[in-house]
């Protein structure tokens, strides 16, 4: 009963903040245990703390969680929102500024009291109650660069892939149209050179500048670019050509805007190709992970066993199984 | 006189916002003409508008600019600040939140009224009065991917480099220790395999996770990786080995944390190598610009003319001279 009253009071206090929507304050009893990760470039921070389990705040009338106690582990991800262009200018006029540098026509200023009364400042994602696995997942993990020779691939990486035995059923479900069939961008059923292209989960399918699609080959057994040989050239040519054409037709994005590449290491070991818009600073487009399909095609055309023999560099992180295997092998000592 | 009074009033009004620092409001008469560029991932926006020329706000007693009128062109770059860990938890407890999604232990929330009373919300960079060149520089420029064959290099790119005739004097000043001599990380004076390594301007030399150093070769005439041949292997080996050793000794950053690469196209045509910390999402580390030195070494060891013959992919932007030359050549038609 007391809780409802508090909520009502909150509501009336904050009516002018976000229209008539019901605001509450899920962080009012949040206690910090540890900052798990900071990302200054993307204005994002991940916290581990304790808090009561959030009640369902959207007025959908469904069950609410019982609030057992106030000390549940929680992972909280806070990310500042991008500027909202339509309200920006009104709000910036009302700020207070403090000059920090002035040189000729250039000056820098700290801006205080920027109040966007319509749009939220921050987006929060809360996992509560969180398990140890969540806390590990959202922590900063020390990265190490591995230079994987052919020998290291055969003795460390390959056994690790084979033993980890991760299920590819979700990939087969897409290829067999048991899942995501309504999302397919293009499907070439040819068993040798065919593939299914679907939008990546990271893409909202609305903003073309953030286009992200993935082409998954029908052929089983090609784990990564390490397995590519000269004989796979027709497969890669088909994916590139048909993929570019389909994206042009469906989304009106031309091939001179498309970054087309493999990941090494990939996140799953069934060959797939990433198509991302060049304006989108896609995660995994770093030179330590991405390999342009055009360069891969040129390399296997020149030397069929280029990727069998070549040293490939990539990043592993402390908590990865592969990192552990490299540690066990004595790679870092 | 009126101006001083206004400032005093502002000051007392905002004492509680940023201690006793003198706050003003440089944006109070800002009028928007156009949004030049939005970067949602980094929470940054660039505006073109008009405003009075900012007065010098830091109390250094030096000259102030005369305020001719209120309609000077200005370029304003606004970037949200990263979270300040020390004050974050106190501030987040006082916010209001609105649930946007709730599924089992996961929920997302819009966060309103996040007030950091000590730290600024936003950093603003102001260029005022701004010229057309400033406005063009800070505008969004349409990117295009070029696949540069050997033929296109010889007929479009190379003539463009030769005709643009950009001075490399600032590079020679570093190599001859006329400039930045106190910043040198390592110098190997050998005329064939030697180089000078200096910190990049983007690195503050304090945060090791953002380490960015550049090794510039002493030898003149190697414009980019296009000019690298088998004979340059000892040069590249020396840069990699000596560079890694110097960074380990001076900054205690080990080689398994270093991304070492060339840019293609480079920003200046005198061979240089980038050393960046793997945790730093360095601009230009994208697969469409970066080429790992280890891979370059393997490629020229295998085929001395690999980079002479190879098709290389990179991004040009609408306003680049090189983009114009490719347009003129009929590449896009």
């Amino acid at each position: 009963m007391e809780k409802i009253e508090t909520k009502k009071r909150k509501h009336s206090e904050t009516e002018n903040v976000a229209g008539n929507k019901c605001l509450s304050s899920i962080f009012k009893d949040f206690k910090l245990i540890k900052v798990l990760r900071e990302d200054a470039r993307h204005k994002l921070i991940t916290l581990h703390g304790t808090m009561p389990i959030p009640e369902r705040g959207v007025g959908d009338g469904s069950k609410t969680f019982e609030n057992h106690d106030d000390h549940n582990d929680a992972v909280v991800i806070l990310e500042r929102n991008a500027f909202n262009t339509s309200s920006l200018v009104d709000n910036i006029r009302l700020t207070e500024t403090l000059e920090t540098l002035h040189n000729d026509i250039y000056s820098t200023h700290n801006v205080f009291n920027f109040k966007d009364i319509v749009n939220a400042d921050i987006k929060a994602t809360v996992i509560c109650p969180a398990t140890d696995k969540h806390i590990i997942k959202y922590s900063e993990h020390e990265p190490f660069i591995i230079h994987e020779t052919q020998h290291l691939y055969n003795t460390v990486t390959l056994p690790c892939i084979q033993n980890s035995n991760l299920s590819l059923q979700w990939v087969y479900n897409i290829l067999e149209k048991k899942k995501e069939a309504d999302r397919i961008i293009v499907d070439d059923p040819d068993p040798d050179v065919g593939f299914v292209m679907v939008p990546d989960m990271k893409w909202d399918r609305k903003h073309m500048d953030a286009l992200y699609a993935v082409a998954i080959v029908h052929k089983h057994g090609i784990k990564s670019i390490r397995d590519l040989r000269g004989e796979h050239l027709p497969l890669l040519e088909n994916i590139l050509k048909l993929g570019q054409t389909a994206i042009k037709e469906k989304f009106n994005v031309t091939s001179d805007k498309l970054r087309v590449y493999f990941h090494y290491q990939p996140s799953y070991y069934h060959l797939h190709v990433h198509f991302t818009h060049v304006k989108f600073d896609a995660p995994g487009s770093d030179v330590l992970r991405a390999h342009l399909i055009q360069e891969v095609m040129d390399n296997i055309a020149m030397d069929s066993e280029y990727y069998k023999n070549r040293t490939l560099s990539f990043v592993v992180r402390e908590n990865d199984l592969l990192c552990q295997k490299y540690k066990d092998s004595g790679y870092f000592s």
Side-chain angles (χ1 to χ4, degrees), chain A residues 225-265:
Chain A
I225 56 170
R226 270 281 178 214
D227 290 341
L228 289 176
R229 302 289 178 267
E231 67 192 77
H232 298 118
L233 260 178
L235 169 63
L236 305 194
E237 280 163 4
N238 188 51
I239 293 171
L240 179 60
K241 205 175 153 191
L242 222 64
Q244 286 175 334
T245 307
I247 287 172
K248 171 77 181 74
E249 279 172 9
K250 289 224 170 177
F251 308 113
N252 201 27
V253 172
T254 51
S255 62
D256 57 7
K257 305 288 184 194
L258 288 177
R259 193 196 283 114
V260 189
Y261 55 100
F262 299 93
H263 277 163
Y264 193 77
Q265 300 288 330

Side-chain angles (χ1 to χ4, degrees), chain A residues 36-291:
Chain A
L36 297 178
R37 199 169 78 84
E38 285 182 81
D39 181 345
R41 212 166 160 223
H42 300 111
K43 285 76 183 179
L44 189 150
I45 195 164
T46 310
L47 310 173
H48 173 208
T50 60
M51 62 190 284
I53 297 176
E55 290 177 75
R56 205 177 274 272
V58 177
D60 64 351
S62 68
K63 64 160 184 170
T64 57
F65 286 88
E66 278 178 49
N67 194 336
H68 292 296
D69 63 71
D70 287 1
H71 298 88
N72 302 284
D73 275 302
V75 170
V76 174
I77 303 146
L78 299 172
E79 183 173 3
R80 290 203 194 262
N81 280 331
F83 290 105
N84 184 289
T85 321
S86 63
S87 60
L88 175 66
V89 175
D90 291 341
N91 298 324
I92 201 78
R93 281 212 198 99
L94 302 172
T95 57
E96 313 263 25
T97 59
L98 180 70
E99 188 181 287
T100 46
L101 190 146
H102 200 134
N103 182 354
D104 192 42
I105 60 169
Y106 302 93
S107 57
T108 61
H109 308 260
N110 282 331
V111 181
F112 295 89
N113 281 338
F114 180 81
K115 285 181 203 147
D116 191 327
I117 57 166
V118 178
N119 306 288
D121 306 311
I122 295 169
K123 182 189 171 184
T125 305
V126 175
I127 305 170
C128 181
T131 64
D132 285 350
K133 275 196 181 173
H134 290 113
I135 294 161
I136 291 168
K137 181 176 172 186
Y138 288 96
S139 294
E140 169 90 66
H141 298 293
E142 199 57 26
F144 302 92
I145 299 174
I146 302 273
H147 302 292
E148 182 197 70
T149 59
Q150 180 188 13
H151 178 72
L152 284 169
Y153 176 72
N154 288 324
T155 55
V156 184
T157 307
L158 185 59
C160 177
I161 298 167
Q162 287 166 337
N163 293 333
S164 71
N165 213 5
L166 282 171
S167 171
L168 290 169
Q169 194 51 51
W170 69 273
V171 177
Y172 303 149
N173 286 342
I174 293 174
L175 294 175
E176 292 159 20
K177 295 170 200 60
K178 292 176 184 164
K179 295 277 178 189
E180 300 188 43
D182 54 327
R183 290 162 47 90
I184 289 175
I185 297 168
V186 60
D187 177 24
D188 175 351
D190 186 284
D192 286 318
V193 302
F195 64 96
V196 169
M197 180 186 271
V198 288
D200 187 274
M201 292 293 183
K202 284 183 276 298
W203 183 36
D204 63 7
R205 289 192 279 176
K206 285 177 206 144
H207 294 90
M208 292 307 148
D209 288 359
L211 184 145
Y212 199 146
V214 177
I216 307 170
V217 304
H218 275 300
K219 202 177 181 72
H220 291 207
I222 312 173
K223 291 184 287 304
S224 72
I225 56 170
R226 270 281 178 214
D227 290 341
L228 289 176
R229 302 289 178 267
E231 67 192 77
H232 298 118
L233 260 178
L235 169 63
L236 305 194
E237 280 163 4
N238 188 51
I239 293 171
L240 179 60
K241 205 175 153 191
L242 222 64
Q244 286 175 334
T245 307
I247 287 172
K248 171 77 181 74
E249 279 172 9
K250 289 224 170 177
F251 308 113
N252 201 27
V253 172
T254 51
S255 62
D256 57 7
K257 305 288 184 194
L258 288 177
R259 193 196 283 114
V260 189
Y261 55 100
F262 299 93
H263 277 163
Y264 193 77
Q265 300 288 330
S267 53
Y268 52 97
Y269 290 88
H270 177 109
L271 195 74
H272 57 283
V273 182
H274 304 259
F275 288 70
T276 59
H277 197 291
V278 68
K279 283 188 185 174
F280 177 48
D281 182 16
S285 59
D286 186 281
V287 65
L288 281 167
R289 189 153 190 213
H291 296 259

